[in-house]
Amino acid sequence: MKKSVAIAGAGGYIGKWFIDQFKDKYHIVALSRREVDVNPDPDVEWRQVELYSITSTTKALEGVDFAIYLIHSMSASTRLNQGNFEDTDLLLADNFARAAESNGIKQILYMGGILPKEVLEENMSVHLRSRLEVEKTLGNRKPALTALRAGIIVGPGGSSFDMIRNLVKKLPILVCPAWTNSKTQPISLKDTLTIMDACLGNENVYGKSFEIGSPQVMTYKEMLIQTAEVMGKKRWIFSVPLLSIGFSKLWVSYFGNSPTKLVYPLVESLKHTLTVSEELKFEEKEIDYLSYKESVAVALDPSNKVSKSPTFKRDTAVKNTVRSIQRLPNARRKSSLWVANRYKLWLPIYFRFLIKAKENENGDLGFYLLNSSKPMLQLTWIPDRSDVERQLFYITGGWLVKRFDYGWLEFREVLGGKYIISAIHEFVPRLPWLLYLNTQARLHLFVMNSFKKYLVKLREY
């Protein structure tokens, strides 16, 4: 009987190719935010999921033996997204780990990034530090975690390699800043997929992290040179000691034909040496690694395409939605229950001349402007989906709210209680959009930043 494998991020680069290569070996449950309209391959089961929702994620993982986690939240799924990608990634990973645990999933296979050896975790780039946080979060519950840390994965459709290819294609002269002399070990898509397959269901790799890359150590400048050679392009490529990371971001984004939200965090990471350490090298299976030039040749071959891809239904969700995610300090290791209750007390005191809070015996909470009889915001506590580590409130009313049947507020502990995540999801404002952006949205950020400062002061006592 085939192992059942769910893939979060099935529509992405690695996910598509894994499905294409192994759909006959595994029963693949491909997870997608949008509902599939036409599925050209009945052997692949597509399930719609909202990964921001624990309920939706838990349902999507039903009947699954193993899971592959390939999520990286570089782009927003709502019209306004208040929060950075690393906090969003942390929340999504926590959701997934909880849902996997609820379903008794045996193993989560995660694709992260090679970590630099020359700096402490707090001095890593935001992108690599975030990848490590996700790894820790996924490994913090009952399903066994196997983490694969890779540098640039070279293959058809890979965003990192596409940036390199576009730079070589467009620029006859490439002036390389200092970071292009940093060393790394790229790996071919083929070898990456082989390693992933070797890990799935393999108890020898449960609870372990591996750094993967071909044995060929090279600089990013050498990668540009060899890419040009494979492409048959004569390029003048030389290094200069100047050119800041900031300028590099603009240069790579523009000429690499890639979105800034993707490029900026990646370029920040390239200043580090990202080579495979001996103690974390993958040796579970002998791999006949492709060289970098061989990997590039495969990636550039137009015949190398995913055989069948589904089409998705049009997104008919409400357009003016808001998601706001903030990471709060928790040096005193207080529970989410404590933080949520403290927030209820703090807000009306902080705005004591404007806002009043009323809580009923069920824990439901309403916020009122002055002596108004109608709440600005009504929150309904959901006890059967709340616990000490996570407090959940549905947004069920208020004259600031346009939609009462969806949207929620939560406080949750992450990274073993090191931080608290406060998040509002799928909020639909009643105010006209531009007015909302310049009033209520700004006020919410001000309130959460003020609450964050309040929590920081608390740890001093």
Side-chain angles (χ1 to χ4, degrees):
M1 187 174 177
K2 291 182 180 179
K3 300 172 186 174
S4 180
V5 179
I7 304 178
Y13 166 49
I14 303 295
K16 285 180 179 178
W17 279 102
F18 187 91
I19 292 171
D20 188 73
Q21 295 293 311
F22 299 112
K23 60 190 174 184
D24 295 329
K25 181 174 181 178
Y26 303 104
H27 170 63
I28 292 178
V29 176
L31 306 182
S32 170
R33 190 168 190 270
R34 292 167 61 190
E35 186 180 355
V36 166
D37 187 21
V38 178
N39 181 7
D41 195 335
D43 290 333
V44 179
E45 179 185 356
W46 285 86
R47 295 181 187 175
Q48 186 178 15
V49 63
E50 175 51 85
L51 291 174
Y52 288 98
S53 165
I54 293 179
T55 301
S56 177
T57 308
T58 301
K59 183 172 176 22
L61 292 178
E62 288 178 354
V64 169
D65 300 311
F66 308 97
I68 300 174
Y69 192 80
L70 303 170
I71 298 296
H72 199 358
S73 59
M74 290 295 197
S75 58
S77 58
T78 51
R79 186 172 182 183
L80 174 64
N81 189 62
Q82 292 180 323
N84 52 47
F85 76 84
E86 58 265 33
D87 294 346
T88 302
D89 275 347
L90 196 52
L91 183 146
L92 291 174
D94 190 60
N95 268 357
F96 197 83
R98 286 168 176 261
E101 183 177 63
S102 296
N103 281 289
I105 284 177
K106 301 179 182 70
Q107 177 195 28
I108 298 174
L109 180 62
Y110 168 60
M111 183 64 67
I114 292 179
L115 300 178
K117 315 302 182 293
E118 74 274 19
V119 297
L120 297 174
E121 180 179 337
E122 57 266 28
N123 296 323
M124 293 179 190
S125 71
V126 174
H127 177 258
L128 291 176
R129 192 167 64 243
S130 172
R131 299 286 80 201
L132 182 57
E133 286 184 341
V134 169
E135 181 181 316
K136 290 178 179 178
T137 302
L138 292 173
N140 200 34
R141 294 191 177 270
K142 287 184 180 179
L145 177 71
T146 302
L148 300 177
R149 302 171 181 171
I152 291 179
I153 299 175
V154 183
S159 56
S160 296
F161 174 70
D162 278 350
M163 284 189 286
I164 294 172
R165 182 195 62 189
N166 287 330
L167 288 171
V168 171
K169 181 180 178 181
K170 291 183 176 182
L171 297 174
I173 300 175
L174 286 98
V175 181
C176 296
W179 59 260
T180 59
N181 288 315
S182 298
K183 292 181 179 180
T184 188
Q185 286 175 251
I187 185 171
S188 71
L189 173 65
K190 172 182 173 292
D191 296 333
T192 302
L193 296 175
T194 298
I195 292 172
M196 291 174 68
D197 176 49
C199 289
L200 273 175
N202 182 351
E203 295 186 6
N204 292 336
V205 301
Y206 284 9
K208 294 182 180 180
S209 299
F210 299 96
E211 294 183 339
I212 61 173
S214 80
Q216 187 177 8
V217 178
M218 58 196 310
T219 66
Y220 296 101
K221 179 183 173 183
E222 289 169 337
M223 290 169 64
L224 289 167
I225 292 170
Q226 292 191 23
T227 301
E229 291 173 354
V230 176
M231 293 175 67
K233 301 284 187 182
K234 291 185 178 181
R235 295 294 183 252
W236 187 22
I237 303 173
F238 63 96
S239 300
V240 294
L242 304 175
L243 298 184
S244 67
I245 289 288
F247 180 82
S248 297
K249 292 174 183 177
L250 295 173
W251 171 67
V252 173
S253 177
Y254 182 77
F255 292 106
N257 195 29
S258 300
T260 56
K261 286 185 177 180
L262 173 65
V263 170
Y264 284 20
L266 290 177
V267 171
E268 281 283 352
S269 303
L270 301 183
K271 63 187 178 184
H272 299 303
T273 297
L274 302 178
T275 52
V276 175
S277 63
E278 278 298 315
E279 59 271 22
L280 294 178
K281 185 166 60 174
F282 183 81
E283 295 179 320
E284 183 64 24
K285 179 177 181 176
E286 188 174 341
I287 308 291
D288 185 17
Y289 289 96
L290 295 182
S291 69
Y292 180 73
K293 280 190 172 183
E294 290 170 333
S295 303
V296 171
V298 172
L300 295 176
D301 186 343
S303 67
N304 287 323
K305 295 179 180 179
V306 173
S307 56
K308 299 175 183 177
S309 294
T311 56
F312 297 91
K313 290 185 178 180
R314 186 178 175 185
D315 191 354
T316 57
V318 176
K319 298 303 180 186
N320 285 355
T321 55
V322 177
R323 179 168 286 111
S324 187
I325 300 172
Q326 283 81 40
R327 184 187 306 214
L328 306 175
N330 193 27
R332 297 177 68 186
R333 288 298 199 271
K334 296 293 187 180
S335 69
S336 286
L337 175 62
W338 185 91
V339 174
N341 286 331
R342 181 61 59 166
Y343 181 75
K344 296 177 191 177
L345 295 171
W346 171 83
L347 186 62
I349 293 173
Y350 190 75
F351 291 97
R352 52 189 170 275
F353 300 114
L354 289 174
I355 296 174
K356 293 183 178 180
K358 296 179 183 178
E359 185 175 9
N360 63 22
E361 64 277 5
N362 297 321
D364 302 338
L365 186 66
F367 292 104
Y368 298 79
L369 182 63
L370 298 174
N371 294 315
S372 172
S373 60
K374 292 184 178 181
M376 297 185 297
L377 184 67
Q378 183 69 43
L379 302 174
T380 299
W381 182 52
I382 310 300
D384 61 333
R385 294 181 54 208
S386 297
D387 53 40
V388 174
E389 295 181 358
R390 181 178 183 248
Q391 290 291 295
L392 176 66
F393 301 84
Y394 286 159
I395 300 171
T396 54
W399 51 263
L400 288 175
V401 186
K402 187 174 183 179
R403 183 180 178 182
F404 301 150
D405 64 330
Y406 202 54
W408 66 97
L409 165 71
E410 64 173 321
F411 293 89
R412 75 164 75 192
E413 298 173 38
V414 291
L415 293 175
K418 183 179 181 180
Y419 302 106
I420 300 289
I421 292 286
S422 168
I424 291 177
H425 301 278
E426 304 295 337
F427 174 76
V428 182
R430 185 175 294 277
L431 292 176
W433 187 250
L434 289 178
L435 180 61
Y436 167 78
L437 288 179
N438 291 288
T439 56
Q440 189 181 343
R442 292 177 182 268
L443 180 61
H444 176 70
L445 280 184
F446 172 77
V447 169
M448 295 314 300
N449 285 329
S450 299
F451 185 54
K452 184 185 297 185
K453 292 176 183 177
Y454 167 75
L455 293 176
V456 170
K457 286 183 179 179
L458 277 184
R459 72 184 181 189
E460 298 172 0
Y461 298 99

